[in-house]
Amino acid sequence: MTLRIAVTPGEPAGIGPDLLLQVASRSWQAQLIAFADITLLETRAKLLGIDIELIPYEGNSSQPKSSQAGQLFVKHIPMRTKCVPGELNSDNGHYVVETLRQACQENMNDAFDAVVTGPVHKGIINQAGISFSGHTEFFAAESNTTDVVMMLATEGLRVVLATTHIPLAYVAKAITQDRLNKVLHIVNTDLRLKFGIKRPHIFVCGLNPHAGENGHLGREEIEVIEPALEALRSEGMHITGPLPADTMFQPKYMQQADAILAMYHDQGLPVLKHKGFGASVNITLGLPFIRTSVDHGTALDLAGTGNIDDGSMTLAITEAIHLAEKKL
């Protein structure tokens, strides 16, 4: 069975198109289909000196079953205006969102097996008049999925988030027993079904310094987090915590953990990105399809220079194929 992987390059003025062209220089045991403007890819390939055959994607069985080195299938989605590498233009905000929408729809229709996303610029999308807080939230809304969870993974560490792109001032109120119950059910289920881990062991960070230190530094652990974890343990989940976040990320815990739940974005992700920046992948749990992404931003200053590292894009595609193969 041919695996079809949708790839959205993201912000056209950033390094997303460059990354996609670079990884397409290698062969893949799947069809990689770029959801992008074919002229953008042609122009960027010429600028970078990359020799590549861009093949209009027709979705029929007569096309090759895998992407050969130097080939890339393209589902053409036109930009609103021409793109200059490194120069943001809000006129193309709608184009970026349309690539995501179509890739999502194709996966919802089971025509594709996964979607891999390149980096977007949230600010320029919002400047285009589109409310957009991130890929995770967008795909959840498009697929009518009530709850999703952001996971970032690198060698030896998976970090999942109880809250994602919200101001720090709102985090404590967002950490509720109901939220933790939903997040941990999603994490436990996807670790079993998508990653093949029979009984996942999940470690949980506290919210406050020293996990509240018995209520002296905050009572969220006592009143919210611990009761939620106890209820889940009674259901049979293997959960350790809440533990202080400043000592969580050390070998004795990470070697036991199938995933570590951080309470907010900048509690867990700085550690993961320090450990594996450029070699980690963003995975959205809870969606009805597989979605992976790079772990970095648009790097506008590097667009069109050829001075980029495609490690995270390579890993995102590899992980998408690996997870899709497990579904077969």
Side-chain angles (χ1 to χ4, degrees):
M1 182 178 177
T2 301
L3 290 176
R4 289 176 175 166
I5 310 297
V7 186
T8 60
E11 169 54 48
I15 63 170
D18 310 40
L19 291 169
L20 180 52
L21 291 165
Q22 195 162 296
V23 298
S25 298
R26 301 190 289 274
S27 61
W28 294 88
Q29 293 304 308
Q31 279 187 338
L32 300 187
I33 298 96
F35 282 60
D37 188 310
I38 196 166
T39 304
L40 166 69
L41 298 178
E42 288 172 347
T43 303
R44 195 66 60 88
K46 184 177 181 180
L47 176 64
L48 295 169
I50 295 176
D51 185 16
I52 189 165
E53 180 186 8
L54 299 174
I55 307 169
Y57 176 70
E58 298 172 0
N60 57 52
S61 59
S62 65
Q63 291 190 304
K65 293 186 177 181
S66 60
S67 293
Q68 302 303 309
Q71 289 183 337
L72 180 63
F73 297 99
V74 182
K75 183 176 174 62
H76 176 60
I77 300 171
M79 291 189 298
R80 294 283 185 92
T81 189
K82 289 183 179 180
C83 170
V84 177
E87 296 184 13
L88 293 171
N89 189 328
S90 61
D91 287 345
N92 282 324
H94 287 272
Y95 155 76
V96 173
V97 172
E98 182 62 15
T99 66
L100 300 178
R101 189 194 67 77
Q102 290 195 30
C104 178
Q105 192 59 54
E106 292 283 11
N107 274 269
M108 290 289 292
N109 293 340
D110 293 326
F112 281 67
D113 299 284
V115 57
V116 177
T117 58
V120 298
H121 193 288
K122 300 182 185 71
I124 206 69
I125 294 174
N126 281 279
Q127 192 175 319
I130 305 166
S131 179
F132 185 90
S133 59
H135 282 109
T136 303
E137 297 83 357
F138 177 84
F139 285 132
E142 284 291 306
S143 63
N144 293 314
T145 304
T146 304
D147 295 294
V148 293
V149 177
M150 179 187 292
M151 169 190 282
L152 268 81
T154 191
E155 183 67 30
L157 178 62
R158 299 185 187 99
V159 174
V160 292
L161 302 178
T163 62
T164 54
H165 301 120
I166 63 172
L168 189 58
Y170 301 163
V171 169
K173 291 183 179 179
I175 301 298
T176 64
Q177 291 189 41
D178 181 60
R179 177 63 184 163
L180 293 175
N181 179 69
K182 290 176 180 177
V183 166
L184 285 164
H185 269 113
I186 290 170
V187 174
N188 189 67
T189 297
D190 274 17
L191 287 175
R192 287 190 298 106
L193 299 182
K194 292 182 180 178
F195 290 81
I197 302 170
K198 291 185 178 179
R199 189 168 185 252
H201 190 178
I202 304 169
F203 280 65
V204 178
C205 295
L207 172 65
N208 296 295
H210 303 178
E213 205 164 89
N214 296 319
H216 296 289
L217 298 176
R219 297 193 57 82
E220 285 83 1
E221 286 76 12
I222 294 172
E223 297 175 358
V224 178
I225 301 174
E226 289 177 0
L229 302 190
E230 277 302 313
L232 293 170
R233 290 188 191 101
S234 70
E235 296 178 15
M237 288 192 199
H238 191 190
I239 297 174
T240 297
L243 297 176
D246 65 341
T247 55
M248 174 73 84
F249 297 94
Q250 55 178 304
K252 74 173 185 178
Y253 294 134
M254 292 194 296
Q255 288 170 4
Q256 299 179 58
D258 294 305
I260 292 176
L261 176 65
M263 292 294 115
Y264 55 94
H265 188 280
D266 283 12
Q267 184 183 58
L269 297 194
V271 179
L272 184 133
K273 292 191 177 186
H274 174 73
K275 178 176 170 58
F277 190 78
S280 59
V281 58
N282 188 333
I283 305 167
T284 305
L285 307 181
L287 290 173
F289 53 85
I290 295 164
R291 179 259 169 166
T292 67
S293 183
V294 297
D295 70 342
H296 55 73
T298 54
L300 295 168
D301 57 322
L302 298 179
T305 68
N307 184 27
I308 58 172
D309 183 344
D310 64 32
S312 185
M313 176 64 84
T314 297
L315 184 60
I317 294 172
T318 301
E319 185 68 14
I321 293 172
H322 177 66
L323 292 173
E325 287 175 337
K326 289 189 175 185
K327 290 177 62 179
L328 296 180

